[in-house]
Amino acid sequence: QSLGQTCEFINEDENGVGECADINPNDVSPPVISFNKDALGSQYTFEQFDSGVNIKGSGQDGCISETNVLLPVGIVTNELAQCKMANNHTVSYDDMLEDFGTTDRFVLNHTMPILIPSLASLGIDGVDPHTRGDYNVFIRCQDKRGNKDEREFAVNFCIKQGPDVTPPVVLSSVTYIDGTKSYSPYIQYGASMA
């Protein structure tokens, strides 16, 4: 079956199901990132700017309480892409260590739940209801041809002190068995933690 001269089969799963991506040899442009407002919960608003977005909570000052909740952040790319993120400025896509999104596949819609950090984790200590802190997530994407964004797409929000009334959420777990790292929510009977 012919898929076309510039088509490359990508995102193939264990059943051989995948999709065709236009891998145009003349494509020299990185993916264009746009904010996906539909991924954001209704309790938030946002202001878009040239290279990113500022997310605001429902309070008068727009800051989000440090209540250990997950903030759903979504972006859309104009072509199939993989994306990465960092919470500090980096020089390039390759310097970003965390994937952005819930898959490492080349997709158009990328959504990532961002844990709202505490002010203490940002180095802001003390108990003062007027204390605020800014938090940024910087995102870059690359297409299947390897064209990478040079410019960061910034997601910014303000954090204020708030009561921690949210139950804990297990984001991941690591089990060490005989010195080998294994990502599993279970611990083998009789295993010891190294």
Side-chain angles (χ1 to χ4, degrees), residues 22-61:
D22 183 11
I23 309 300
N24 183 342
N26 299 320
D27 177 12
V28 295
S29 300
V32 176
I33 301 171
S34 303
F35 182 65
N36 181 359
K37 66 179 180 181
D38 296 330
L40 194 62
S42 61
Q43 68 271 36
Y44 305 104
T45 60
F46 67 95
E47 291 178 6
Q48 235 169 324
F49 52 94
D50 184 40
S51 59
V53 65
N54 181 281
I55 297 175
K56 297 183 176 238
S58 58
Q60 186 175 7
D61 61 3

Side-chain angles (χ1 to χ4, degrees), residues 2 15 57 66 100-101 125 134 144 152 159 177 181 188:
S2 174
N15 298 319
E66 55 174 2
F100 181 86
D125 292 322
D134 277 327
K144 186 65 176 160
E152 297 167 321
I159 302 168
I177 299 174
K181 188 188 282 190
Q188 183 178 359

Side-chain angles (χ1 to χ4, degrees), residues 155-176:
V155 176
N156 167 269
F157 50 92
C158 172
I159 302 168
K160 65 182 176 182
Q161 288 185 346
D164 184 1
V165 296
T166 307
V169 175
V170 176
L171 298 175
S172 67
S173 62
V174 179
T175 303
Y176 288 90

Side-chain angles (χ1 to χ4, degrees), residues 11-192:
N11 297 337
E12 186 175 354
D13 65 15
E14 63 276 353
N15 298 319
V17 177
E19 56 192 299
C20 173
D22 183 11
I23 309 300
N24 183 342
N26 299 320
D27 177 12
V28 295
S29 300
V32 176
I33 301 171
S34 303
F35 182 65
N36 181 359
K37 66 179 180 181
D38 296 330
L40 194 62
S42 61
Q43 68 271 36
Y44 305 104
T45 60
F46 67 95
E47 291 178 6
Q48 235 169 324
F49 52 94
D50 184 40
S51 59
V53 65
N54 181 281
I55 297 175
K56 297 183 176 238
S58 58
Q60 186 175 7
D61 61 3
C63 291
I64 301 169
S65 292
E66 55 174 2
T67 54
N68 294 320
V69 297
L70 296 172
L71 177 67
V73 175
I75 60 169
V76 176
T77 51
N78 68 331
E79 61 181 317
L80 295 171
Q82 290 177 322
C83 300
K84 289 187 176 184
M85 67 180 213
N87 61 2
N88 55 354
H89 289 289
T90 59
V91 175
S92 69
Y93 173 87
D94 295 323
D95 293 333
M96 296 179 152
L97 302 178
E98 278 188 73
D99 290 330
F100 181 86
T102 55
T103 180
D104 62 354
R105 294 176 177 237
F106 288 87
V107 295
L108 296 172
N109 294 308
H110 311 261
T111 303
M112 181 78 178
I114 306 287
L115 182 66
I116 298 172
S118 67
L119 290 171
S121 71
L122 299 177
I124 303 171
D125 292 322
V127 179
D128 179 355
H130 303 292
T131 301
R132 303 289 185 262
D134 277 327
Y135 189 72
N136 293 292
V137 174
F138 301 100
I139 304 166
R140 287 190 178 100
C141 300
Q142 77 168 349
D143 64 17
K144 186 65 176 160
R145 293 265 313 140
N147 299 313
K148 301 171 185 174
D149 287 313
E150 291 181 17
R151 192 166 140 193
E152 297 167 321
F153 184 87
V155 176
N156 167 269
F157 50 92
C158 172
I159 302 168
K160 65 182 176 182
Q161 288 185 346
D164 184 1
V165 296
T166 307
V169 175
V170 176
L171 298 175
S172 67
S173 62
V174 179
T175 303
Y176 288 90
I177 299 174
D178 298 328
T180 304
K181 188 188 282 190
S182 170
Y183 294 92
S184 170
Y186 305 103
I187 298 176
Q188 183 178 359
Y189 177 77
S192 62

